[in-house]
Amino acid sequence: MNGIMYPRIGGYWVNDMRFVAAFDVDRRKVGLDVVKAIITPPVAAVLHVDVEPTGVLVEPGPLFDGIGGNLDGVIEPHPTSREVTIDQVADRLAAVGADVLVCLLPTGATNAVQAYARAAVKAGVAFVNATPEPVAHDPEIAAAFVSGGVPLLGDDLRSHLGATTLHTALIELLQSRGLAVVNTYQLNVGGNTDFLNLSDPRRAAGKVWTKRNALSAAGIDATTVSAGPNGFVEYLGDEKACFIRIEAASVLDSNLVLDIRMQVEDSPNAAGVLVNAVRIAKIAAEQGHAGSVDDVCAFLFKNPPEGAPESVGIRKFRDYIDSVARD
Ligand SMILES: NC(=O)c1ccc[n+]([C@@H]2O[C@H](COP(=O)([O-])OP(=O)(O)OC[C@H]3O[C@@H](n4cnc5c(N)ncnc54)[C@H](O)[C@@H]3O)[C@@H](O)[C@H]2O)c1
């Protein structure tokens, strides 16, 4: 299938993954089968495959700071989400025998993301932090995963082929031929609720931080580089457009200028990465891995504890996949 790098990782096929529980706060989604909830408005994602109902109904999660900024009024919290506790989430994860918890909460919901991470530690469930909010980068929480003997993958999921990966791969290409990046930017616009949320600078701060860290790991000084979400364009729906410009100095200080526009469908672009991350989290748990799974995180995340250029990240990732391969 296009975009699936490894149909099988360590004995697990893509279709070996199953939903066992789902949590949300949106009153339109709570109570729905999870396959229906993921395409229920205000979600802009387009359905690509017909999936049978799973029998797993979305349960109310604790609200914390999940809804804020431009999501106020767009997502109306289910009344129970103000009463349910994070300990109940941990108990539920343990009761259903969950192996991996994937956190896809809105950017800026630091308290909620960190609470779900702590619930995962309590339940002994591996955690994939798809958001930019610090979990692998929070020393106290990262240490809790180590002492709890629980695998952690994060922070901020890369898209399968998104703006960060294209940008960092191009920087590496230029540098490999001796060119120096003089100026660069990466502008992103989209029309889904992620972009609506990110159009509030207070909610977007984490995303700006993780994108800059990804560019720094690629080998440039990204301290002042504009790279982030740059606006909500409603009619784009789940389409996302990125505009990358790189100005570089080449031989005899001659100029090289790259201007690129890339358009992708945002939601499915996360799937190719998630099907890798979830299976690796499960395998890491089976191997008794405690804390950050560093060998894979530079490839799968924008802001891993140990960032690396593209070629290093993918080599370590492939080595890891080879090391867990089963006949
Ligand atoms: N291509 C991608 O989709 C992609 C790639 C990389 C990173 N990410 C990151 O993943 C995160 C989610 O992105 P998305 O596009 O799925 O966003 P989304 O807006 O489609 O979904 C966020 C969901 O979280 C729910 N929510 C809010 N507070 C909650 C709480 N306290 N408990 C449980 N659920 C809560 C919302 O109701 C909503 O259903 C963002 O941080 C985004 O930046 C997404």
Side-chain angles (χ1 to χ4, degrees):
M1 190 189 278
N2 294 337
I4 301 295
M5 294 173 73
Y6 292 96
R8 193 171 182 228
I9 297 180
Y12 292 106
W13 299 91
V14 171
N15 60 7
D16 286 333
M17 290 181 284
R18 298 272 179 278
F19 289 106
V20 292
F23 304 92
D24 205 302
V25 295
D26 189 332
R27 68 183 310 153
R28 284 163 293 188
K29 294 180 188 167
V30 171
L32 293 184
D33 192 286
V34 65
V35 298
K36 187 135 197 244
I38 58 178
I39 50 153
T40 292
V43 174
V46 175
L47 193 62
H48 284 265
V49 283
D50 282 328
V51 186
E52 293 293 316
T54 60
V56 173
L57 305 184
V58 175
E59 302 169 48
L63 182 59
F64 295 106
D65 50 359
I67 309 297
N70 295 333
L71 295 180
D72 272 331
V74 175
I75 298 179
E76 196 185 328
H78 190 276
T80 316
S81 66
R82 298 191 192 280
E83 294 158 19
V84 68
T85 67
I86 200 66
D87 283 341
Q88 287 173 291
V89 170
D91 291 346
R92 183 74 181 135
L93 290 171
V96 295
D99 295 313
V100 180
L101 178 62
V102 179
C103 182
L104 281 158
L105 267 55
T107 298
T110 315
N111 296 339
V113 170
Q114 294 189 341
Y116 275 94
R118 289 194 170 94
V121 174
K122 189 169 179 222
V125 172
F127 192 73
V128 176
N129 180 24
T131 82
E133 303 315 306
V135 174
H137 275 272
D138 183 289
E140 192 193 317
I141 300 178
F145 277 90
V146 175
S147 56
V150 179
L152 167 63
L153 282 78
D155 295 327
D156 201 3
L157 192 77
R158 282 176 182 250
S159 291
H160 193 54
L161 210 169
T164 298
T165 294
L166 179 61
H167 202 170
T168 52
L170 286 170
I171 289 168
E172 188 173 12
L173 171 68
L174 298 181
Q175 291 182 333
S176 72
R177 305 185 84 85
L179 277 72
V181 174
V182 177
N183 282 310
T184 188
Y185 62 68
Q186 180 207 117
L187 312 179
N188 297 279
V189 296
N192 57 24
T193 42
D194 189 25
F195 273 91
L196 176 63
N197 179 49
L198 291 169
S199 60
D200 178 342
R202 289 165 302 175
R203 297 283 278 189
K207 190 65 98 181
V208 173
W209 176 57
T210 61
K211 278 186 173 281
R212 279 196 182 145
N213 282 357
L215 293 172
S216 300
I220 64 165
D221 177 2
T223 329
T224 58
V225 169
S226 285
N230 298 87
F232 175 61
V233 182
E234 189 169 8
Y235 88 87
L236 285 176
D238 204 30
E239 295 286 332
K240 164 184 167 179
C242 86
F243 304 84
I244 295 174
R245 181 177 174 92
I246 304 178
E247 299 171 18
S250 186
V251 182
L252 299 175
D253 274 343
S254 57
N255 294 329
L256 178 144
V257 179
L258 277 173
D259 266 312
I260 294 174
R261 177 186 189 278
M262 179 171 72
Q263 186 162 333
V264 293
E265 229 181 299
D266 200 23
S267 298
N269 205 16
V273 187
L274 274 177
V275 295
N276 292 335
V278 170
R279 288 178 292 167
I280 289 169
K282 162 80 173 159
I283 292 162
E286 287 171 352
Q287 294 182 334
H289 188 102
S292 175
V293 188
D294 288 329
D295 286 344
V296 300
C297 285
F299 180 68
L300 297 173
F301 295 88
K302 295 186 195 78
N303 196 22
E306 296 174 12
E310 287 301 313
S311 59
V312 177
I314 195 164
R315 181 176 47 71
K316 288 171 89 173
F317 176 78
R318 286 195 170 128
D319 288 349
Y320 180 90
I321 301 289
D322 289 345
S323 75
V324 298
R326 289 185 208 159
D327 294 335

